[in-house]
Amino acid sequence: MNFKRIAFVLGLLLTLAVLTGAPVLAQTVINNDNTTLKQIIIFGRHSIRSGTQSPAQLAQYALDPYPPFSVSPGCLTANGFTAETLLGAYFRQYLLYEGLLTGNDHTDTVHSYFRSNSIERSWETADAFGIGLLPDTGAPVHSFQIGQPSLPDPVFDPIAAGVVTVAPNVAATQAQEIFNSGAALASAYSGEYSLISSVLFDNAPAPEGKVDPTTLPITLLPNTSPQLSTGSVVNPGGLGAVQNAVDPFVMQYCDNFAMSDVAWGRLTPDQLSQETRIATLIANIEVRLPYLSRVQSSNAASHILRTMQQAVTGSNLLGSFGNAGSRIVVVVSSDTFVAGLAGLLNVHWQLPGYQQDFCAPGGALVLELRQSNGTKQHLVRVYYTAQTFDQLRNLTHMKLNDPPATIQLMVPGGSKSATDLDVDFNAFQQLMKNAIGRQYVQNPSKETQPGILTGVTCQE
């Protein structure tokens, strides 16, 4: 069976799943497609963490106290570490099958490069993935300084790192042109707002001394702070407070809280998924706007392209991840940066149990560089992969025939057809060059490479 027919069959299965309500997890492995995997770049989000705000900070937004996590706010949980190790173990099986790993971890480590942005949960996620992928050696994780003070990584946050300048007025104007007003958004998302308010206050009005965040006005105004960072250029007003209030719920479920403690027992799994539309809306405003995705994600996209180019040519390039011998590249940051890169590429996904374009804990955009066994032409295969909510919650051991949820993505202007989504590498290069704003890419000759960090610990 050739690749086009397999892609058609997978699409048919996914269509049947929607019609019947049965989840179907597309496999990463595609048999007999007559290509060889030459390099894989996994650009992912950290795994399960605690809420980013403390229960005391969140108390104003809910009738009942938030159940505490076992770690300080914003830190990777023990289950998050285990879940990511299991994801790394799955990719070990896959890459052994594809021949990109030899099975000799000492040799394979030499041909691997791991990078995280300078946040504890990202570093620990990359470390955990490395333990699953290379159990005999683990993987050295490159990162700038974490903790106090931390050093912003210009690949992920070129604004905070001072390598690009952003115009908040331009961003806010574009947000208003696309999303209209805050009032229009409140109306469009009234179903989610009603659900969230009912959960926070148990189907009653907010009592005195409490604030229902769904009553706060949504704004799409320029952020006037003198210290901007990626994801903070447009001020969404009350929308940010709503997201702060519901952010712990997904993590509670994935961290295997008792169901009575997941949103105080007031959300079904389907409703839990529905409220994540707020997180995706904020990402669409803060990082997927055409202007902002270009400003904020061009440097990361340039590094990915140059990483592929050096694998094709065999020559090291500045401004890339690893070196020409890096066959496995794992880059871990947050949903903000994954969504931003997706916005620049204009790709979208839908996985079973998740809302469209939701960046799941541990989920990743994956870019594979492949070579045709016949023509020797290089191809790029792009997909999104993530453990399902229940695979995270149950710490499921995944196998090639029982994989994480995965969907190959159509790259607009590059995918060959509806049934053959691979992109010719030359076409992919041109698409990337057209999308990347060169003025927003750090001069590779001036780039400082981060070193290998060890012993990173959870800090609030």
Side-chain angles (χ1 to χ4, degrees), residues 121-419:
R121 55 183 175 268
S122 299
W123 183 94
E124 282 213 62
T125 296
D127 184 48
F129 189 98
I131 290 171
L133 185 73
L134 303 166
D136 287 345
T137 61
V141 181
H142 297 75
S143 174
F144 287 108
Q145 182 176 319
I146 294 173
Q148 299 297 331
S150 62
L151 295 177
D153 189 328
V155 168
F156 305 101
D157 198 343
I159 297 173
V163 300
V164 304
T165 300
V166 66
N169 287 333
V170 173
T173 298
Q174 191 170 86
Q176 293 162 16
E177 291 171 347
I178 294 173
F179 296 103
N180 204 300
S181 68
L185 281 175
S187 175
Y189 285 79
S190 60
E192 285 70 35
Y193 262 41
S194 178
L195 171 65
I196 290 167
S197 180
S198 70
V199 169
L200 294 175
F201 296 103
D202 198 13
N203 294 298
E208 186 176 352
K210 301 286 185 175
V211 177
D212 184 344
T214 67
T215 65
L216 301 176
I218 298 174
T219 61
L220 299 175
L221 300 175
N223 190 337
T224 58
S225 170
Q227 294 182 330
L228 294 175
S229 59
T230 296
S232 74
V233 178
V234 177
N235 179 3
L239 194 61
V242 171
Q243 177 55 24
N244 284 338
V246 302
D247 169 75
F249 301 158
V250 162
M251 298 300 174
Q252 290 168 352
Y253 186 88
C254 295
D255 205 40
N256 201 26
F257 277 44
M259 285 305 297
S260 58
D261 284 336
V262 176
W264 308 282
R266 298 171 193 148
L267 281 178
T268 67
D270 284 345
Q271 289 172 327
L272 181 71
S273 176
Q274 181 187 353
E275 60 85 8
T276 65
R277 293 187 69 225
I278 299 300
T280 303
L281 172 61
I282 290 178
N284 289 338
I285 293 169
E286 294 184 339
V287 293
R288 286 194 72 137
L289 291 176
Y291 171 70
L292 285 179
S293 65
R294 195 169 171 87
V295 173
Q296 297 174 149
S297 299
S298 286
N299 204 21
S302 175
H303 279 70
I304 287 172
L305 177 59
R306 292 171 73 84
T307 300
M308 288 183 161
Q309 288 172 333
Q310 67 181 5
V312 170
T313 64
S315 300
N316 292 335
L317 290 175
L318 297 175
S320 61
F321 296 122
N323 55 47
S326 299
R327 296 193 295 259
I328 299 164
V329 177
V330 178
V331 183
V332 180
S333 54
S334 72
D335 51 349
T336 296
F337 307 115
V338 176
L341 179 63
L344 193 69
L345 294 172
N346 195 22
V347 293
H348 300 273
W349 57 86
Q350 180 81 64
L351 294 182
Y354 289 116
Q355 298 296 312
Q356 184 180 35
D357 296 341
F358 179 66
C359 295
L365 278 171
V366 182
L367 300 96
E368 292 186 346
L369 179 67
R370 290 181 166 268
Q371 189 171 31
S372 167
N373 296 333
T375 66
K376 303 306 178 183
Q377 169 193 21
H378 284 92
L379 305 167
V380 178
R381 183 172 297 167
V382 183
Y383 54 95
Y384 184 81
T385 190
Q387 292 143 288
T388 65
F389 274 143
D390 285 342
Q391 285 176 332
L392 289 166
R393 181 174 175 81
N394 300 325
L395 297 178
T396 301
H397 291 251
M398 294 159 290
K399 302 176 183 178
L400 292 182
N401 61 355
D402 186 18
T406 301
I407 184 169
Q408 189 176 355
L409 307 184
M410 182 187 73
V411 180
S415 297
K416 297 176 182 178
S417 69
T419 56

